[in-house]
Amino acid sequence: MSKKEKKHLSFRLNIIFLVVFTLFAVLILQLGVIQILSGESAQDQIDRTENVTTNTPVPRGEMYDRNGEIVVENDSKYSITYTPPKGVQGKDKLKLAKKLSEYIELDTKGIRLRDKKEYFFLKNPDVVKERIEDKDMEGLDSGEVYQAQLAAITEEDVESYKGETLQVIAINKELNKAYALAPHVVKDENISEKEYSRVAEHLPSLPGINVASDWERRYPNGEVFKSYLGNISTREQGVPREKLEKFLALGYSRNDRVGTSGLEQQYEEVLRGVKEKVRHTTDRNNNVVDTEVIREGKSGKDLVLSIDMEYQKRVNEIVKEELAKAVPGNSYLENAVAVVSKPDTGEILAVSGQSVNKNPSGDEEKFTDSSHQGVNNAYLPGSVVKGATVLTGLEEGVIDPGTTIRDRPLEFPDSEDMGSYSRLGNVNDLQALQRSSNVYMYNIAMRLGDYYYKPNQPLRMDEEKANRLIRYNFHQFGLGVPTGIDFPYEATGLEGSDPTGSDVMRSAIGQYSSYTAMQLNQYVSTIANGGYRMQPRFVTSIHEPASSGKELGDIYKDFSPNVKNSLHMDADYIERVQKGFKMVTQTPGGTASSVFNSARYRQYDISGKTGTAETDKYLENSSGDGTRRVELTNKAFVGYAPSENPEIAFSVIVPNLDSGADVSPNYHIGARVAEAYFQLKEERAEKKEKQEKEKKDETNDNNGNE
C-alpha cells in the first residue's frame, strides 16, 4: 500500500472514532440528566406501576342421580357486568349509571332513603357542604364527616325522586358494589333480548360494562330431594359473614355464590370450580396497560349421587298415601319418614319425609316435603332395637342361643309391674324377637348388670355396668353415634345420662334413647349384611366437568364402600337374629306377619322388626293456665329384602300416633317401599330387554337389505 493511501485510511478511521466518541458522550450525558434531574420522577413512575390479580367465577358443578339423570343443572342466562378500573370516582360511576339507565331497567323496590341521599350528595356536593359549619367537622374522620353530610340531607330534598331518577340510583347502587378490576353482575334477572342487544351495541360508550352469559341453578325434579341437595347463596348474600375470612383466604370474592346447606355445602370445594386468574398491570393513573391470563378457569366438578330419583319419587308417594290414610283418628299425627339404602355398600337410594297439612287453605299443598328429618330428627324407636339387645346378650354371655325365659310381668317392691303387651309364656331368643317380648329384653339388661330376676325383690343390678355394655354394643350398630354420612349435619339422638336400673331396662326395648331414621337404617343394614357397619353415602363419585353436552367427564374421585367397623360378635349369633327377624314377618305369631306374609308381599321375602314406643306430648291448656300431657306412640319398622343376599335395607318412623291407635302405617310403608324397589327393577329389566330386541331386529333388517 502507498504512503498516500495509508494516510487516507488513517483519516477515515479518525473520523469514525470521533463520531462514536461523540455518540457515547451524548448517551452518557443523557443518562446523567435522567439520573440527576429526572431520577426521582422516573422512580416514582416505576413505583406507581402495579400488578393486580383478579379472579373470574366459573359455572358450578352439576349433580346426577345413580342412573345418570340430571338432578341439579346450570341454566344459562344473559348477564350484564361491570368491571371498574382502579381509582374510579363516584361521579364517573354516576355518569355511567345515567348512561346505562337508557338501555336497562332494574327493580327499584329495594332503594333506601340512604341511597337517595347518597345520590343527592353526588349531584349537589356544594349545597350539602354549605349546610355544615366547619367547626362541626373538627376532629371527625372521613367516615364521620360523610355521615354528617348525609344527615344534612332531608327527606324533602329527595322526595321528588321518581321514575328515571330511581333507575339511575338503582344502577349506581349496583356499580358501587363492584371491586376494582373484578367483574360484578349488574343485572342477570329478566334481561330481555332488547336490553341485551342495546347494551352490547353501545359498549364503547359504557366503560367497564360488558355483556356475558351467567347461570342459575335449575332442578328438573322440582322439590324432590331438594332438602338434601341444598341451596346456594345469592350474589347479594355472597359468602356467609361468619365464614368470611375463611372464604377470602381460599380465593373467594365477597359476592361469590357458595353452598349454604345440604350437598351444595358439603361438596363446595369441588362444586365451585377453579376461577380464571387474570393479572392486570396498571400505570400511575390506574389505567390498565397489560392483561395476562395466568390461570385458565375451569368449571366445577360434577357429582354422581347414590339416589335413584325415579325410586325416590315413588317412595315419596308411598309415604304421602299411607300418612293420609292414618291421619283420620290420629289428632297429633303430622309426619312420617323412610330411608332406603343398599346394605352392602351404604349407598342411600331414597330418603323421604312428608308432613301433612290437615287444614289446607287456598293454594296450600296438603303435604310438605320434610325429608331433612331423616338425619335431623330423632325419635324413641321402640322394639326395633331388640335385635341389638339380643346380640348384646349373646355376645356378653348372659344368654345362649335357645335360652328360655318366662314372659310374665316383672314385679318389684314399690313400683309398677314391667311386662310385655301380653303374657307370652316361655320364649327363647328367636321367639322373643318374633313376638317382641319386653320381658326377655328386661332380663338381658338385668343380667348385664349381674342381677338375675327374683319376683318381688328389689332391683339390685349394677346399672352402670349394664348401661356401659348396652351402649358399647349398640354403638357398634351405629345407634347413638354419628353414622358418618356425607352431609353437613346429622343428629345423633339422645342417650341420656346416669340412667337408673329401670332406665337401662327400658333402653333395651327402645323406650329410653332416641335415634334418627338414618341411624336405624345403618343398624338394620349391619344385621342384613352379616355384621359390617357401612358408612352411608349420598355421593358415589366426583367427575371432571364434561367437555360438551350432558355427558359425564372422567372420574376425579370414586368413593368405595367404607366399613366403619365390623361387629365384635360371633357370626352364628348374627345369623340367629336374622332368623328371628324373618320370623317376625313370615311366620304365624310374628308381630308383622299379617302384612308382610300376605299374598301381596310374600314374594319379596322381607325380614324385619317392628317397634312401638310410648311418648308424651305437652300442650297448653285452652284456658292458658298450664299444660296437659297427651300420651302418644311412635311406630317404627326396620327391614331388608330379600332375606338372603339383601339388596335393600329400610327404616320407617311414624311418630305421634294416638295411644292405642289400631293402625300400622309403619308396616305398610315398609312393605310398599320394598315392593316399589323390586317392581321398578323388573320394569327396567323389561325395558332393557325390549330395547336390546329392537336393536337386534334393526341390525338383522339392515343386514338383510344389504
Side-chain angles (χ1 to χ4, degrees), residues 38 128 198 201 324 330 374 529 553 626:
S38 306
V128 175
R198 290 182 69 188
E201 182 182 349
N330 285 281
N529 66 33

Side-chain angles (χ1 to χ4, degrees), residues 343-360:
D344 56 335
T345 65
E347 296 171 19
I348 305 300
L349 297 175
V351 52
S352 176
Q354 301 295 324
S355 297
V356 63
N357 182 354
K358 296 180 180 179
N359 299 297

Side-chain angles (χ1 to χ4, degrees), residues 289-524:
V289 296
D290 186 42
T291 299
E292 177 187 5
V293 176
I294 58 178
R295 184 183 67 198
E296 296 289 342
K298 191 174 184 180
S299 298
K301 294 177 174 60
D302 299 327
L303 305 182
V304 173
L305 310 183
S306 61
I307 295 295
D308 184 327
M309 288 303 288
E310 176 57 35
Y311 182 53
Q312 173 73 44
K313 293 175 185 177
R314 297 191 184 192
V315 173
N316 282 355
E317 290 306 309
I318 290 169
V319 176
K320 287 179 184 178
E321 290 170 8
E322 295 302 327
L323 186 57
K325 292 177 187 177
V327 164
N330 285 281
S331 306
Y332 304 100
L333 174 61
E334 298 177 344
N335 55 287
V337 60
V339 177
V340 190
S341 70
K342 296 186 73 66
D344 56 335
T345 65
E347 296 171 19
I348 305 300
L349 297 175
V351 52
S352 176
Q354 301 295 324
S355 297
V356 63
N357 182 354
K358 296 180 180 179
N359 299 297
S361 60
D363 296 332
E364 289 182 344
E365 297 288 339
K366 184 174 179 61
F367 292 97
T368 302
D369 189 283
S370 55
S371 297
H372 60 273
Q373 64 182 301
V375 296
N376 288 355
N377 291 16
Y379 303 96
L380 289 177
S383 299
V384 293
V385 304
K386 287 178 179 176
T389 303
V390 169
L391 276 168
T392 299
L394 290 168
E395 182 60 28
E396 298 300 333
V398 298
I399 60 169
D400 295 315
T403 294
T404 298
I405 296 175
R406 188 177 182 184
D407 184 307
R408 64 180 180 180
L410 304 181
E411 299 173 347
F412 299 101
D414 303 321
S415 66
E416 294 183 3
D417 294 350
M418 299 179 68
S420 301
Y421 55 90
S422 66
R423 293 173 179 260
L424 302 179
N426 291 332
V427 293
N428 62 22
D429 52 329
L430 295 179
Q431 294 165 331
L433 291 172
Q434 175 199 29
R435 303 175 68 185
S436 201
S437 168
N438 287 348
V439 172
Y440 200 94
M441 308 305 152
Y442 291 152
N443 274 275
I444 290 176
M446 287 187 289
R447 294 180 183 189
L448 290 170
D450 299 326
Y451 177 75
Y452 281 70
Y453 171 72
K454 294 180 181 180
N456 295 308
Q457 294 296 314
L459 180 60
R460 300 186 186 280
M461 66 183 289
D462 183 345
E463 60 261 26
E464 190 280 329
K465 178 183 177 183
N467 183 61
R468 173 169 47 81
L469 290 174
I470 288 177
R471 294 280 73 80
Y472 168 75
N473 285 280
F474 274 40
H475 289 176
Q476 290 189 55
F477 294 94
L479 296 174
V481 294
T483 65
I485 192 166
D486 52 337
F487 202 67
Y489 171 79
E490 67 163 322
T492 56
L494 183 64
E495 291 189 314
S497 59
D498 299 323
T500 65
S502 59
D503 290 336
V504 176
M505 293 167 67
R506 281 192 288 271
S507 70
I509 65 168
Q511 283 281 169
Y512 183 69
S513 300
S514 60
Y515 307 117
T516 67
M518 189 64 68
Q519 288 176 310
L520 292 179
N521 186 275
Q522 189 177 53
Y523 150 68
V524 75

Side-chain angles (χ1 to χ4, degrees), residues 103-160:
Y103 311 123
I104 68 170
E105 288 187 8
L106 290 185
D107 186 358
T108 60
K109 293 179 181 178
I111 293 178
R112 306 165 301 169
L113 176 61
R114 180 187 175 88
D115 300 323
K116 296 178 181 179
K117 287 186 175 184
E118 289 178 342
Y119 175 77
F120 183 91
F121 180 71
L122 286 171
K123 296 285 290 182
N124 309 281
D126 294 335
V127 173
V128 175
K129 290 175 182 178
E130 287 178 1
R131 297 179 180 180
I132 304 174
E133 297 289 339
D134 290 340
K135 63 180 181 179
D136 294 333
M137 296 293 101
E138 293 178 1
L140 300 182
D141 59 31
S142 58
E144 292 170 333
V145 169
Y146 186 60
Q147 293 299 325
Q149 291 168 337
L150 291 183
I153 302 171
T154 66
E155 293 189 31
E156 289 74 17
D157 290 329
V158 300
E159 64 181 359
S160 63

Side-chain angles (χ1 to χ4, degrees), residues 16 60 66 120 128 147 177 205 266 269 275 290 339 362 382 429 472 533 583 624 638 652 658 685 690:
I16 292 173
R60 197 169 177 82
R66 66 186 301 110
F120 183 91
V128 175
Q147 293 299 325
K177 294 179 182 179
S205 63
Q266 181 74 19
E269 183 178 344
K275 291 183 177 182
D290 186 42
V339 177
D429 52 329
Y472 168 75
R533 183 165 79 99
M583 291 170 65
V638 296
V652 180
D658 285 14
K690 182 180 179 181

